[in-house]
């Protein structure tokens, strides 16, 4: 359904298109949301598919691509981390993994957050003593590292454990992550008793410590349902036109964390429609579990289950439990959704008051819905970066943060004005190219610049050159003694002014500025660290990470590689005669 400007308002599906359109053509009986949508519709476009499942998949693809106003839209579709136990090494590494499962090994997840993975990894290392170091570090060790000293690793790098013993530890860890923790605990208890009888008291004490750590892991897992081995628990709470969806991940009879989502509800959609859209979009790029427990029935339940089953290559069941342990899991998720939405609405109300106060303090026409704050970071011109953070009615919008690697001469010269000019020019030239008519929410209502009158004057020149002089901008200077609370604000053509030290708007602006500092400085540190670890090998054609590691492990340094002959280079694993010639020519031609 399209409006008079051919903008997509709504994407829907129907087994019988004629009946669906005829229903929209009725003069009455519609909800307020549907009535508004129909009143804005000027034309309709139809696409036909062979099956209902294809229609469902096409509908969700179009919703994610076009983001129509009246559809339910999942705005957060980030991937979830897993635990990976690698299988490409004689002594497998245990680590956190996110993204495509291209590496050979056993994957366990998903976990709700990186923090949940890190906590689990920390406990698993105490129990199973598996290494987490990279292969390159493993190969270069000549003595045990600190993790061995604090009993977090069995030091396979220096032969403190045999391959057979380490393989048994890996097997125990996999069984634990598969939900067989009682078996592992019983096995460790048997080994401890046998060691004690054989008077191997040091080994018995080590096994005792591992059993204690395993008990701590089990008690820290939170909800551990006995009757649900694998499921995602999805609960929705809808209030005041806003929705919160809580997703709990149950794997191996253990809770592996939860995440909350706040989908756009399409201007008044019902629970069944919201949940159907959420489930379809959530699993668009994720593998669904065998069981999905829901708080409300969804529209077209059989169709959604069939689509998920086709994606997973096995049966996927959708259920709305009414009693028993599964119903308790759903009720717990629903309670979390209700509390999360209440907190978000309270924070949103407070944020709205701050934005109204900001508009009053800075004489804006209306409270800003998108504030962009800019800052630069460098050390005497080296590794210069610009940072942009975004804030609005929902607080910081971290998905909209941007980093700018300073490419011009201003960065090398340490010219803050020149760096700000480059950042703003690149930012608004892209906006003018992608959205010249300002139809999207990507255009800011207010710019906050870290700096005083000079920065504000420079920004004014940039905005005038770009032809976007209608966006207000304000400089935030440190003020007298550079103390927090004495900030001065600079607007073009006006004298600087300050806010009362106890003004909530001042604290709000300080938070915005500090977040911009944090973001820009973090980007600068990452760039500097990358530059420190860079070597001339990074520029050699055909030398990637694996060959670089092999060359450095063999020769010890990039300088030694540059001096090596073709025959010496060929002695490195993975370096053919042709590749050796390329490396030799790269250094000697220079």
């Amino acid at each position: 359904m399209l409006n008079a400007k051919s903008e997509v308002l709504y994407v829907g599906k129907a087994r019988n298109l004629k009946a669906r359109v005829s229903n929209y053509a009725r003069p009455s009986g519609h909800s307020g949301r549907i009535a508004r949508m129909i009143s804005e519709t000027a034309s309709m476009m139809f696409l036909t598919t062979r099956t209902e499942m294809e229609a469902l998949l096409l509908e969700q693809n179009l919703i994610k691509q076009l983001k129509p106003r009246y559809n339910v839209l999942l705005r957060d579709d980030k991937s979830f981390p897993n635990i990976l136990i690698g299988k490409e090494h004689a002594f497998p590494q245990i680590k956190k993994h996110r993204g495509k499962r291209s590496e050979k090994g056993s994957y366990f997840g998903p976990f709700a957050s990186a923090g949940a993975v890190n906590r689990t990894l920390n406990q698993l290392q105490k129990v199973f003593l598996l290494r987490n170091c990279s292969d390159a570090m493993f190969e270069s060790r000549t003595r045990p590292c600190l993790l061995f000293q604090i009993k977090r690793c069995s030091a396979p790098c220096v032969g403190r454990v045999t391959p057979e013993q380490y393989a048994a530890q890996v097997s125990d860890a996999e069984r634990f992550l598969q939900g067989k923790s009682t078996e592992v605990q019983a096995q460790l208890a048997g080994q401890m008793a046998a060691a004690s009888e054989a008077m191997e008291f040091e080994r018995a004490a080590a096994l005792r410590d591992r059993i204690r750590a395993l008990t701590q892991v089990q008690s820290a897992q939170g909800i551990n349902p006995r009757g649900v081995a694998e499921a995602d628990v999805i609960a929705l709470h809808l209030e005041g036109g806003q929705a919160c969806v809580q997703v709990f991940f149950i794997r191996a009879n253990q809770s592996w964390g939860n995440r909350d989502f706040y989908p756009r509800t399409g201007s008044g959609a019902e629970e069944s429609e919201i949940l159907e859209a959420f489930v379809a979009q959530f699993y668009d790029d994720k593998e669904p579990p065998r069981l999905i427990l829901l708080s409300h029935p969804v529209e077209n339940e059989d169709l959604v289950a069939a689509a998920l089953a086709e994606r997973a290559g096995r049966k996927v069941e959708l259920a709305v439990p009414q009693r028993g342990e599964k119903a308790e899991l759903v009720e717990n998720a629903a309670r979390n959704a209700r509390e999360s939405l209440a907190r978000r609405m309270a924070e949103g109300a407070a944020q709205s008051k701050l934005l109204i106060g900001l508009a009053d303090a800075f004489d804006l026409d209306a409270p800003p819905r998108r504030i962009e704050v800019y800052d630069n970071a460098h050390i005497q011109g080296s590794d210069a970066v610009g940072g942009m953070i975004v804030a609005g009615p929902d607080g910081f919008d971290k998905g909209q943060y941007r980093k700018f690697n300073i490419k011009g001469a201003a960065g090398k010269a340490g010219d803050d004005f020149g760096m700000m000019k480059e950042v703003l020019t690149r930012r608004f030239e892209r906006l003018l190219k992608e959205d010249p008519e300002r139809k999207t929410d990507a255009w800011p209502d207010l710019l906050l610049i870290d700096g005083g009158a000079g920065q504000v004057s420079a920004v004014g020149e940039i905005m005038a050159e770009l032809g976007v002089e209608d966006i207000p901008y304000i400089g935030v200077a440190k003020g007298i003694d550079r103390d927090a609370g004495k900030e001065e604000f600079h607007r073009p053509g006006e004298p600087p002014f300050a806010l009362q030290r106890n003004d909530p708007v001042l604290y709000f602006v300080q938070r915005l500025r500090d977040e911009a500092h944090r973001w820009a400085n973090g980007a600068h540190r990452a760039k500097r660290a990358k530059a420190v670890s860079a070597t001339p090998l990074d520029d050699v054609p055909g030398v990637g990470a694996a060959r670089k590691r092999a060359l450095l492990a063999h020769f010890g340094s990039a300088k030694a590689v540059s001096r090596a002959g073709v025959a010496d280079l060929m002695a490195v694993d993975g370096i053919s005669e042709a590749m050796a010639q390329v490396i030799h020519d790269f250094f000697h031609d220079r």
Side-chain angles (χ1 to χ4, degrees), residues 417-430:
F417 292 167
M419 284 188 277
M420 185 60 66
K421 180 175 182 179
E422 179 178 334
V423 169
L424 289 176
T425 300
R426 286 165 56 184
R427 166 66 178 153
F428 284 95
E429 280 184 348
R430 182 165 185 172

Side-chain angles (χ1 to χ4, degrees), residues 115-348:
V117 173
N118 292 335
R119 286 191 297 273
T120 303
L121 285 174
N122 185 37
Q123 297 295 341
L124 287 176
Q125 282 183 274
K126 291 181 181 179
V127 179
F128 303 109
L129 309 180
L130 302 184
R131 73 178 181 95
N132 67 352
C133 59
S134 66
D135 291 347
M137 183 177 291
F138 179 91
E139 300 296 340
S140 64
R141 296 299 304 183
T142 57
R143 60 178 181 172
C145 67
L146 180 62
L147 288 176
F148 174 77
Q149 306 296 335
I150 61 175
K151 300 180 181 179
R152 298 285 183 88
C153 180
S154 52
C157 53
V158 292
R160 295 296 180 95
V161 61
T162 66
E164 293 75 17
Q165 291 170 329
Y166 192 84
Q169 293 170 201
V170 171
S171 177
D172 288 345
E174 289 179 335
R175 284 193 295 153
F176 172 78
L177 290 168
Q178 290 165 356
K180 301 174 182 177
S181 57
T182 53
E183 292 181 14
V184 175
Q185 200 162 11
Q187 180 180 337
L188 291 175
Q191 292 176 4
M192 181 180 69
S196 180
E197 289 178 6
M199 302 186 72
E200 297 177 0
F201 299 118
E202 187 174 341
R203 181 167 178 268
L207 288 165
R208 178 203 60 201
D209 293 341
R210 291 175 63 185
I211 292 171
R212 286 178 179 174
L214 182 57
T215 303
Q216 184 179 356
V217 174
Q218 291 169 325
S219 62
Q221 284 292 337
I223 304 169
N224 294 326
R226 295 182 179 180
V228 182
E230 176 187 336
D232 283 352
V233 184
I234 302 177
L236 164 70
H237 183 71
L238 187 61
E239 183 179 339
Q242 297 186 51
C244 176
V245 178
Q246 278 278 347
V247 183
F248 279 73
F249 302 99
I250 308 295
R251 298 293 186 274
N253 297 96
Q254 301 167 2
S255 174
W256 283 357
N258 63 296
R259 279 276 297 273
D260 51 355
F261 299 86
Y262 301 91
R264 194 186 69 191
T265 58
S267 302
E270 299 296 327
E271 285 95 340
S272 59
E273 182 182 353
I274 294 172
L275 264 187
E276 179 187 312
F278 178 87
V279 170
Q281 294 175 36
F282 183 73
Y283 293 109
D284 180 55
D285 56 355
K286 303 174 185 69
E287 183 177 342
R290 300 178 186 278
L291 175 63
I292 300 175
L293 301 176
L294 302 172
S295 60
H296 299 79
V298 300
E299 297 179 353
N300 308 296
E301 179 180 322
D302 294 341
L303 183 59
V304 173
L308 295 179
E310 182 173 288
R311 182 171 295 146
R314 51 173 165 71
K315 183 180 179 182
V316 175
E317 179 186 356
L318 301 181
V320 184
Q322 301 300 319
R323 63 181 65 86
E325 186 179 40
K326 294 177 181 177
E328 291 177 6
L329 290 172
V330 172
E331 174 55 33
N332 178 62
R335 183 176 64 254
N336 277 269
R338 183 168 60 251
E339 293 172 355
S340 296
L341 184 59
R343 286 194 298 270
R344 183 180 175 90
M345 292 175 73
E347 291 168 0

Side-chain angles (χ1 to χ4, degrees), residues 57-101:
L57 298 176
L58 176 61
E59 177 192 37
Q60 298 307 325
N61 288 339
L62 289 174
I63 289 172
K64 293 185 76 172
Q65 178 185 348
L66 301 173
K67 299 178 174 58
R69 176 183 175 185
Y70 288 96
N71 279 103
V72 176
L73 177 66
L74 173 60
R75 291 177 286 190
D76 186 352
D77 58 352
K78 295 179 181 178
S79 62
F80 292 92
N82 293 268
I83 286 178
L84 168 62
I85 298 180
K87 298 295 185 182
E88 297 180 347
H89 197 280
F91 295 96
Q93 171 194 17
I94 186 170
K95 63 181 180 180
K96 177 173 60 181
H97 177 86
R98 192 190 292 269
K100 188 177 180 182
R101 297 186 176 188

Side-chain angles (χ1 to χ4, degrees), residues 453-467:
Q455 290 280 21
V456 168
S457 176
V459 171
E461 295 176 6
I462 298 164
M463 304 301 274
E465 290 176 9
L466 296 170

Side-chain angles (χ1 to χ4, degrees), residues 378-393:
H378 63 95
I379 296 179
Q380 296 181 343
S382 65
D383 305 312
V385 295
M388 178 192 84
I389 69 154
V390 178

